[in-house]
Amino acid sequence: MAGRALSPERAARVYDRIGKFQDWQGFYEGPAIRDLVAHADFASARRVVELGCGTGAMAAELLTRRLPPDATYLGLDVSSRMVGLASSRVSAFGARASVRRISGRPPLPVDDSAADRFVAVYVFDLLADELADAIIEEARRILTPGGRLCLVSLAPGATAGSRLLCAAWNRVWAHAPALVGGCRPVDLRPRLARGWRIEHERSITAWGVTSQVIVAARVAE
Protein backbone atom coordinates (compact mmCIF):
# COMPACT_ATOMS: atom_id res chain seq x y z
CA MET A 1 0.00 0.00 0.00
CA ALA A 2 2.84 2.44 0.76
CA GLY A 3 3.79 2.65 -2.89
CA ARG A 4 0.34 3.80 -3.96
CA ALA A 5 0.50 7.34 -2.56
CA LEU A 6 -0.20 9.92 -5.24
CA SER A 7 2.80 11.74 -6.67
CA PRO A 8 2.70 15.54 -6.30
CA GLU A 9 1.86 15.77 -10.00
CA ARG A 10 -1.11 13.40 -9.72
CA ALA A 11 -2.24 15.11 -6.53
CA ALA A 12 -2.19 18.46 -8.35
CA ARG A 13 -4.46 17.06 -11.07
CA VAL A 14 -6.89 15.69 -8.47
CA TYR A 15 -7.12 18.97 -6.59
CA ASP A 16 -7.32 21.03 -9.77
CA ARG A 17 -10.48 19.03 -10.44
CA ILE A 18 -11.89 19.17 -6.90
CA GLY A 19 -11.37 22.92 -6.58
CA LYS A 20 -13.72 24.76 -4.24
CA PHE A 21 -15.58 21.55 -3.36
CA GLN A 22 -12.72 20.81 -0.97
CA ASP A 23 -14.41 23.09 1.58
CA TRP A 24 -17.35 20.68 1.74
CA GLN A 25 -15.26 18.38 3.94
CA GLY A 26 -15.61 20.81 6.83
CA PHE A 27 -18.28 18.64 8.45
CA TYR A 28 -15.57 16.29 9.71
CA GLU A 29 -12.49 18.51 9.40
CA GLY A 30 -13.88 21.47 11.35
CA PRO A 31 -13.58 20.13 14.92
CA ALA A 32 -9.94 19.10 14.41
CA ILE A 33 -9.00 22.41 12.79
CA ARG A 34 -10.63 24.34 15.63
CA ASP A 35 -8.65 22.28 18.13
CA LEU A 36 -5.42 23.06 16.28
CA VAL A 37 -6.17 26.79 16.24
CA ALA A 38 -6.97 26.70 19.96
CA HIS A 39 -3.57 25.19 20.86
CA ALA A 40 -1.08 26.68 18.34
CA ASP A 41 -0.91 30.16 19.93
CA PHE A 42 -1.31 32.00 16.65
CA ALA A 43 -1.82 35.21 18.63
CA SER A 44 1.95 35.34 19.19
CA ALA A 45 2.94 34.30 15.66
CA ARG A 46 4.63 36.70 13.27
CA ARG A 47 5.39 34.63 10.17
CA VAL A 48 3.21 31.71 9.08
CA VAL A 49 3.89 29.25 6.26
CA GLU A 50 1.08 26.89 5.28
CA LEU A 51 1.81 23.87 3.11
CA GLY A 52 -1.22 22.75 1.15
CA CYS A 53 -3.19 25.96 1.58
CA GLY A 54 -6.10 24.64 -0.49
CA THR A 55 -8.90 27.15 -0.99
CA GLY A 56 -7.40 29.56 1.54
CA ALA A 57 -9.98 28.87 4.23
CA MET A 58 -7.34 28.45 6.94
CA ALA A 59 -5.50 31.55 5.75
CA ALA A 60 -8.64 33.66 5.96
CA GLU A 61 -9.39 32.41 9.47
CA LEU A 62 -5.87 33.15 10.69
CA LEU A 63 -5.53 36.55 9.06
CA THR A 64 -9.00 37.72 10.06
CA ARG A 65 -9.27 36.44 13.63
CA ARG A 66 -6.09 34.86 14.96
CA LEU A 67 -2.87 36.53 13.86
CA PRO A 68 -1.53 39.90 15.05
CA PRO A 69 -2.14 42.75 12.57
CA ASP A 70 1.52 42.80 11.50
CA ALA A 71 1.89 39.03 11.02
CA THR A 72 2.52 37.67 7.52
CA TYR A 73 1.23 34.54 5.79
CA LEU A 74 2.63 32.48 2.91
CA GLY A 75 0.53 29.70 1.39
CA LEU A 76 2.01 26.92 -0.76
CA ASP A 77 0.14 24.42 -2.93
CA VAL A 78 0.77 22.08 -5.87
CA SER A 79 -2.61 22.78 -7.45
CA SER A 80 -2.94 25.82 -9.73
CA ARG A 81 -6.69 25.79 -9.08
CA MET A 82 -6.14 25.94 -5.31
CA VAL A 83 -3.52 28.67 -5.68
CA GLY A 84 -6.04 30.75 -7.62
CA LEU A 85 -8.79 30.25 -5.06
CA ALA A 86 -6.52 30.96 -2.11
CA SER A 87 -4.98 34.02 -3.75
CA SER A 88 -8.43 35.48 -4.30
CA ARG A 89 -9.40 34.75 -0.71
CA VAL A 90 -6.38 36.52 0.81
CA SER A 91 -6.19 39.41 -1.66
CA ALA A 92 -7.89 41.75 0.82
CA PHE A 93 -4.88 41.44 3.14
CA GLY A 94 -2.47 42.99 0.66
CA ALA A 95 1.25 42.50 1.22
CA ARG A 96 0.63 40.58 4.44
CA ALA A 97 -0.44 37.47 2.51
CA SER A 98 0.83 35.67 -0.57
CA VAL A 99 0.28 32.28 -2.22
CA ARG A 100 2.70 30.36 -4.42
CA ARG A 101 2.44 27.25 -6.55
CA ILE A 102 5.13 24.66 -5.79
CA SER A 103 6.29 21.33 -7.19
CA GLY A 104 5.48 19.51 -3.95
CA ARG A 105 9.03 18.29 -3.54
CA PRO A 106 11.83 19.72 -1.39
CA PRO A 107 13.32 22.18 -1.18
CA LEU A 108 10.35 24.41 -0.48
CA PRO A 109 10.81 28.02 -1.69
CA VAL A 110 11.19 29.45 1.83
CA ASP A 111 14.37 30.70 3.51
CA ASP A 112 15.94 29.07 6.56
CA SER A 113 14.38 30.17 9.88
CA ALA A 114 11.82 32.23 7.98
CA ALA A 115 8.71 31.29 9.98
CA ASP A 116 7.54 30.67 13.52
CA ARG A 117 4.56 28.55 12.45
CA PHE A 118 4.55 25.81 9.80
CA VAL A 119 0.99 24.65 9.17
CA ALA A 120 -0.11 21.56 7.24
CA VAL A 121 -3.78 20.65 7.50
CA TYR A 122 -4.78 17.34 5.90
CA VAL A 123 -1.56 17.21 3.89
CA PHE A 124 0.64 14.50 5.41
CA ASP A 125 -2.09 11.90 4.93
CA LEU A 126 -1.60 12.50 1.19
CA LEU A 127 2.18 12.13 1.09
CA ALA A 128 4.25 9.02 0.47
CA ASP A 129 6.35 8.07 3.51
CA GLU A 130 9.68 9.21 2.08
CA LEU A 131 8.26 12.56 0.98
CA ALA A 132 6.55 13.04 4.35
CA ASP A 133 9.87 12.60 6.15
CA ALA A 134 11.54 15.06 3.77
CA ILE A 135 8.84 17.66 4.38
CA ILE A 136 9.25 17.28 8.14
CA GLU A 137 12.93 18.11 7.66
CA GLU A 138 11.96 21.09 5.53
CA ALA A 139 9.71 22.30 8.33
CA ARG A 140 12.66 22.10 10.73
CA ARG A 141 14.77 24.14 8.32
CA ILE A 142 12.09 26.79 7.82
CA LEU A 143 11.08 27.21 11.46
CA THR A 144 12.92 29.36 13.96
CA PRO A 145 14.12 27.61 17.14
CA GLY A 146 11.03 27.09 19.24
CA GLY A 147 8.79 27.62 16.22
CA ARG A 148 5.75 25.37 16.06
CA LEU A 149 4.80 22.67 13.61
CA CYS A 150 0.99 22.66 13.39
CA LEU A 151 -0.51 19.51 11.88
CA VAL A 152 -3.88 17.91 11.27
CA SER A 153 -4.27 14.66 9.38
CA LEU A 154 -6.58 11.74 8.89
CA ALA A 155 -5.71 9.15 11.52
CA PRO A 156 -6.44 5.51 12.35
CA GLY A 157 -9.88 5.08 13.87
CA ALA A 158 -10.27 5.84 17.58
CA THR A 159 -13.72 4.29 18.05
CA ALA A 160 -15.33 1.06 16.87
CA GLY A 161 -17.26 2.85 14.14
CA SER A 162 -14.30 4.94 13.00
CA ARG A 163 -12.09 1.84 12.84
CA LEU A 164 -14.57 0.22 10.44
CA LEU A 165 -14.63 3.36 8.33
CA CYS A 166 -10.83 3.52 8.43
CA ALA A 167 -10.54 -0.04 7.16
CA ALA A 168 -12.96 0.67 4.31
CA TRP A 169 -11.12 3.90 3.48
CA ASN A 170 -7.79 2.05 3.31
CA ARG A 171 -9.25 -0.52 0.93
CA VAL A 172 -10.46 2.19 -1.44
CA TRP A 173 -7.13 4.04 -1.20
CA ALA A 174 -5.17 0.86 -1.96
CA HIS A 175 -7.04 0.34 -5.23
CA ALA A 176 -8.00 3.86 -6.36
CA PRO A 177 -6.38 6.57 -4.18
CA ALA A 178 -7.77 9.43 -6.28
CA LEU A 179 -11.30 8.47 -5.18
CA VAL A 180 -10.44 9.59 -1.64
CA GLY A 181 -8.39 12.60 -2.73
CA GLY A 182 -5.20 10.57 -2.38
CA CYS A 183 -5.50 10.66 1.41
CA ARG A 184 -5.45 7.80 3.90
CA PRO A 185 -5.27 7.52 7.73
CA VAL A 186 -1.74 7.89 9.13
CA ASP A 187 -0.07 8.33 12.53
CA LEU A 188 2.27 11.33 12.52
CA ARG A 189 3.79 10.90 15.98
CA PRO A 190 6.59 8.50 14.87
CA ARG A 191 7.79 11.11 12.37
CA LEU A 192 8.39 13.55 15.22
CA ALA A 193 10.51 11.30 17.41
CA ARG A 194 13.65 13.43 16.94
CA GLY A 195 14.05 17.18 16.93
CA TRP A 196 10.53 17.99 18.10
CA ARG A 197 8.77 18.46 21.42
CA ILE A 198 5.08 17.61 21.15
CA GLU A 199 3.13 20.25 23.07
CA HIS A 200 -0.36 19.12 22.14
CA GLU A 201 -1.78 15.95 20.62
CA ARG A 202 -5.39 14.87 20.32
CA SER A 203 -7.50 12.45 18.30
CA ILE A 204 -10.90 13.82 17.32
CA THR A 205 -13.65 11.78 15.68
CA ALA A 206 -16.41 13.56 13.78
CA TRP A 207 -18.95 11.84 11.54
CA GLY A 208 -17.00 8.62 11.96
CA VAL A 209 -13.73 10.10 10.68
CA THR A 210 -10.80 10.34 13.11
CA SER A 211 -8.28 13.17 12.79
CA GLN A 212 -4.99 13.62 14.62
CA VAL A 213 -4.03 17.09 15.82
CA ILE A 214 -0.41 17.80 16.75
CA VAL A 215 1.40 20.97 17.76
CA ALA A 216 5.16 20.38 18.14
CA ALA A 217 7.97 22.82 18.91
CA ARG A 218 11.25 22.70 17.02
CA VAL A 219 14.11 21.87 19.36
CA ALA A 220 17.85 21.56 18.84
CA GLU A 221 19.15 18.01 18.40
Side-chain angles (χ1 to χ4, degrees):
M1 287 174 58
R4 294 183 178 271
L6 296 183
S7 68
E9 293 79 13
R10 287 188 65 199
R13 290 195 293 271
V14 169
Y15 286 90
D16 282 347
R17 186 172 66 251
I18 292 173
K20 64 182 179 181
F21 298 108
Q22 183 70 9
D23 285 343
W24 289 10
Q25 297 176 172
F27 68 96
Y28 72 81
E29 294 180 350
I33 293 172
R34 288 191 291 273
D35 186 75
L36 176 72
V37 170
H39 291 89
D41 190 23
F42 285 110
S44 69
R46 289 295 180 270
R47 294 166 294 169
V48 176
V49 171
E50 182 181 12
L51 178 65
C53 62
T55 65
M58 184 71 166
E61 168 68 16
L62 295 178
L63 289 160
T64 302
R65 299 183 179 87
R66 306 293 175 177
L67 293 172
D70 60 344
T72 61
Y73 168 91
L74 171 63
L76 307 172
D77 209 289
V78 299
S79 164
S80 58
R81 175 66 168 152
M82 293 300 190
V83 167
L85 290 169
S87 296
S88 177
R89 211 162 194 168
V90 304
S91 61
F93 300 97
R96 291 183 61 204
S98 60
V99 181
R100 296 182 62 177
R101 187 182 180 195
I102 59 171
S103 70
R105 292 185 172 85
L108 298 176
V110 185
D111 291 338
D112 295 358
S113 301
D116 51 30
R117 299 293 184 280
F118 186 100
V119 179
V121 174
Y122 296 103
V123 172
F124 279 86
D125 42 30
L126 174 66
L127 304 180
D129 290 343
E130 182 176 333
L131 181 55
D133 287 337
I135 294 297
I136 290 290
E137 287 306 304
E138 279 293 277
R140 278 188 53 78
R141 178 184 66 79
I142 289 166
L143 283 170
T144 57
R148 292 181 173 94
L149 180 65
C150 308
L151 306 177
V152 181
S153 74
L154 292 176
T159 65
S162 64
R163 284 191 287 272
L164 288 173
L165 180 58
C166 180
W169 193 305
N170 277 328
R171 284 195 294 271
V172 174
W173 180 83
H175 295 288
L179 291 179
V180 287
C183 301
R184 81 288 192 196
V186 296
D187 180 8
L188 296 178
R189 176 177 271 274
R191 302 193 185 282
L192 306 176
R194 295 180 56 191
W196 302 95
R197 181 180 68 254
I198 294 179
E199 299 181 334
H200 173 74
E201 180 182 5
R202 186 179 179 190
S203 291
I204 296 177
T205 301
W207 295 86
V209 179
T210 298
S211 297
Q212 183 182 43
V213 181
I214 293 180
V215 177
R218 178 190 182 278
V219 297
E221 293 190 81

